[in-house]
Structures are given as C-alpha cells and as structure tokens.
Amino acid sequence: MTASGTWASWQQDLATAVARSAPLFEEQPEIPAAVLRDRLLAALGTSPAPESAAVTVDGTWTRDGLDGTDLSWDCGFGPRTRAWLLRPAGETGTLPGVLALFEHGGVKVVGREKLTDGPGQLDADLAATVRSSRNACYGGRAWAEDLARRGVAVLIHDVFGFGSRRLPEDDGAPPRLTEAQAAKAAGVLGTSWASLIAGEDRLALSALRSLPAVDGARLAAVGMSGGGARAGLLRVLEPGLAATVVVTMMSTLGAMVPKHFENHAWTWLSPRLGAAGDWPSVVGSWTERPLLVQYGLEDHLFPPSGMVGADAQLRRRFAAQGHPENYTGSLLPVGHVFTPEMQDAAWKWLADVLGF
C-alpha cells in the first residue's frame, strides 16, 4: 500500500477500534484517586522492589556549601543502587526532603551525576557526558545542588537501566541489549520498564523518609522529561507526597496519536498506560496534594494541543474534586528544557508549599 492508503493512519485507526470495546484515554474528573491508582498499578505490572530500604552509609564529603552523604541499598535484584544525599553545609536541623529525578535523554551510563557532581570525582569522559546532558536539559545547572543550598535535603538515586543500575550490555559497542528487548523481557515476566523504575523510586522515597533530620511530612518529587514521568507516577502511587513538580512531560494521550509516541522511551510508555486513564487525569489523581506542571509550548516531543488540553484537563479535575488551588500550570514559550528560570520558579513554588 502507498502512504496514502488505508494504513497511513494505522495508529489512529487502531486507537479508534480499541476504544470501541474498552475505555481508552478516559478523563472522568470525578473518578476517585484510589481507582486511578489501582488502574495504574494493573497497567504497570508487578514490581520486585522491596517496600522499604535498608540504607547503608558509604561515605561523606563537604563541597561548595554542601554536605553530601554517599548511600546505597538493595533493590531486590541486580547491583545495589547508589545515591547521594545533599544538605546545606553545617545544617543540623530537620529539613523538608526532595527526591530529584533525572531525565532519560538517551544517556544511561550515568544517572545521579546528571543532577549533581557528588563528591566531584568524575573522570574526564564522564564529566564531558554530564556537561553535555546538563547543557541540553538544565541550562548547564546541577539543579539538585542549587535546590539543596536553599535549605532542602535532596536525594538523587540511580534506577534500573541507569548509572550504577545500568544494564551491562549497554557498556558494549554496539549494545547487545536494547531498551525494546529489555522491555520485552519485562513484559513476559508480568512487569514493565516503567514499573521497575516506579518501584525503585518508591523505594528511594522510603529511604529519604527514613533518614535522620528529614521531615517525612514534607516530601516532594521533582523531575523533567523522563524524570517528570517518574515524578508523575510516584505522585499517583505515593499519595503521601506533599508536593510534585512535573516539567515538560505532560500531554493528553489522544493528541499524541499518531505522530508523537515514537519520540518517547519505554521508561514512560508502558503497555496499557492509556487504559488506566488519560495521562493528565492519572497524574492529577490525588488533588489534596499540590502539583506544579511546567509545559514547554515549543517542545517537539509533545503537540501543543495536547499540552493545552492537559492543562485544561488538570484544572477540571482539581476543580471537580474541590481543590482548584492545588494545581498550578505554567504554559511557557520554551522547548524540552528545564531552564534556570523555570527552576527558580519551581523552587519558589516548592518553598511556599513545603516551607523552607
């Protein structure tokens, strides 16, 4: 068939056919959050991660106005994950805690290093990779460090497929195990790449909550791009989060058909995700907790109509649930980035919510 034949719009045709027999991309602003959470859990599949982390302290350092702690814990399989906790240097009081979630960006050889230099011991090649990643996504800023200096305990951890948890096959050239192949294996086992990461993010949240001098009632998650997807999933699965910031990772799913799904990784686009509900409604589930979403209207990964529609959908859900004040959406003339200006605005919003 030619491009103008029947199957030129096969994604749209398929979505229409599926929707005839099963709900797809449902909004339903009145649906209870617990129902959305259960739908999401069913879509993601089993997570092998433990429910709580037995955290080991592997070292400490002080650098550039920060006290850092090198942490690790077992994720249920594979190597221990490595994490860094950042606090303002010399601060001994109880602080709110933030889980800083790095993006995908096609870079998996590092994880937590994308958001902080840690003790500052990267070799030249990794340092160059990190600089490139930060310049592309964050205006060159190691934003976890900037946030910590403002009076927050910030935890940055590696997850399945990245940094200390990267697949050994990814170290080869060319890689022998692609993301699609890993996703196939996960699917056969009743899980998904997104579920594996979500389980490890929940485990990291339990680690943050357990640390001394961290206020477990004032915990937040922040992420851009793939990190924003992680923050959104965590918000649904952990309703105790006091606040969430999702950056350039929000659109209605229907608007992404047929041209935008191929731009995204398995770490977000889990099988059956659309059956759980439309992405804005799912992320907006627990309206009792504040949510900030920053949209980049020039973001090539999402259609503008999907972003504007997502903002409207979230406003409808928070209003229908009686908490319109808990949603803040910023539609910005930027691309797929988390600029220093966006970061500063997010930190001000977080400070107002968490009190720091």
Side-chain angles (χ1 to χ4, degrees):
M1 289 185 178
T2 66
S4 60
T6 303
W7 283 92
S9 60
W10 70 266
Q11 289 190 32
Q12 188 65 63
D13 291 348
L14 177 59
T16 301
V18 170
R20 293 191 196 110
S21 58
L24 192 64
F25 309 153
E26 283 193 298
E27 176 179 349
Q28 294 186 358
E30 294 85 7
I31 194 169
V35 173
L36 290 168
R37 177 197 59 203
D38 291 347
R39 286 183 182 177
L40 179 62
L41 284 168
L44 294 176
T46 302
S47 169
E51 292 186 2
S52 60
V55 180
T56 298
V57 175
D58 299 317
T60 60
W61 74 91
T62 298
R63 176 184 59 78
D64 299 336
L66 296 170
D67 287 338
T69 306
D70 195 1
L71 306 172
S72 65
W73 56 82
D74 177 41
C75 292
F77 72 103
R80 292 172 68 82
T81 198
R82 303 296 301 275
W84 287 323
L85 178 73
L86 307 178
R87 292 172 58 93
E91 176 61 62
T92 59
T94 299
L95 301 177
V98 170
L99 209 57
L101 306 172
F102 55 79
E103 85 295 346
H104 186 298
V107 177
K108 293 183 284 183
V109 67
V110 290
R112 64 198 186 281
E113 296 90 349
K114 296 180 181 185
L115 304 185
T116 172
D117 291 330
Q121 298 172 344
L122 292 180
D123 64 34
D125 288 343
L126 283 182
T129 298
V130 167
R131 280 196 304 273
S132 177
S133 176
R134 290 182 191 165
N135 288 338
C137 297
Y138 307 124
R141 182 184 281 181
W143 63 256
E145 298 184 8
D146 178 62
L147 178 56
R149 291 190 188 98
R150 296 174 183 241
V152 180
V154 181
L155 183 66
I156 316 98
H157 66 289
D158 292 337
V159 290
F160 178 73
F162 295 85
S164 59
R165 294 279 290 161
R166 70 184 181 274
L167 301 173
E169 290 83 356
D170 277 339
D171 291 338
R176 291 185 290 111
L177 187 64
T178 66
E179 286 194 20
Q181 289 170 315
K184 288 179 186 177
V188 169
L189 296 171
T191 184
S192 63
W193 196 309
S195 178
L196 296 175
I197 289 181
E200 293 182 23
D201 285 341
R202 298 180 77 181
L203 186 61
L205 187 66
S206 80
L208 179 60
R209 186 180 289 115
S210 73
L211 295 174
V214 172
D215 185 349
R218 292 189 293 162
L219 300 181
V222 179
M224 171 258 179
S225 187
R230 294 166 60 192
L233 292 176
L234 194 63
R235 183 180 191 275
V236 185
L237 301 177
E238 293 286 342
L241 271 179
T244 308
V245 179
V246 174
V247 181
T248 59
M249 200 64 192
M250 184 59 66
S251 172
T252 59
L253 293 176
M256 295 181 67
V257 179
K259 296 181 179 180
H260 288 82
F261 285 151
E262 62 268 26
N263 295 329
H264 294 275
W266 288 94
T267 50
W268 174 46
L269 290 183
S270 183
R272 292 188 54 78
L273 180 64
D278 206 356
W279 178 242
S281 285
V282 171
V283 173
S285 54
W286 304 96
T287 59
E288 301 87 347
R289 303 294 185 179
L291 169 65
L292 168 65
V293 179
Q294 294 178 326
Y295 305 80
L297 290 178
E298 299 172 8
D299 189 341
H300 67 285
L301 296 183
F302 299 98
S305 62
M307 292 184 277
V308 172
D311 179 64
Q313 186 175 135
L314 282 162
R315 293 184 188 280
R316 286 193 294 270
R317 174 160 183 85
F318 277 74
Q321 296 287 325
H323 302 286
E325 73 285 355
N326 283 343
Y327 170 67
T328 301
S330 298
L331 296 159
L332 304 168
V334 299
H336 197 65
V337 290
F338 189 21
T339 65
E341 294 77 15
M342 294 166 70
Q343 295 164 35
D344 291 343
W347 307 159
K348 183 180 184 303
W349 181 88
L350 270 179
D352 290 341
V353 175
L354 297 182
F356 61 87

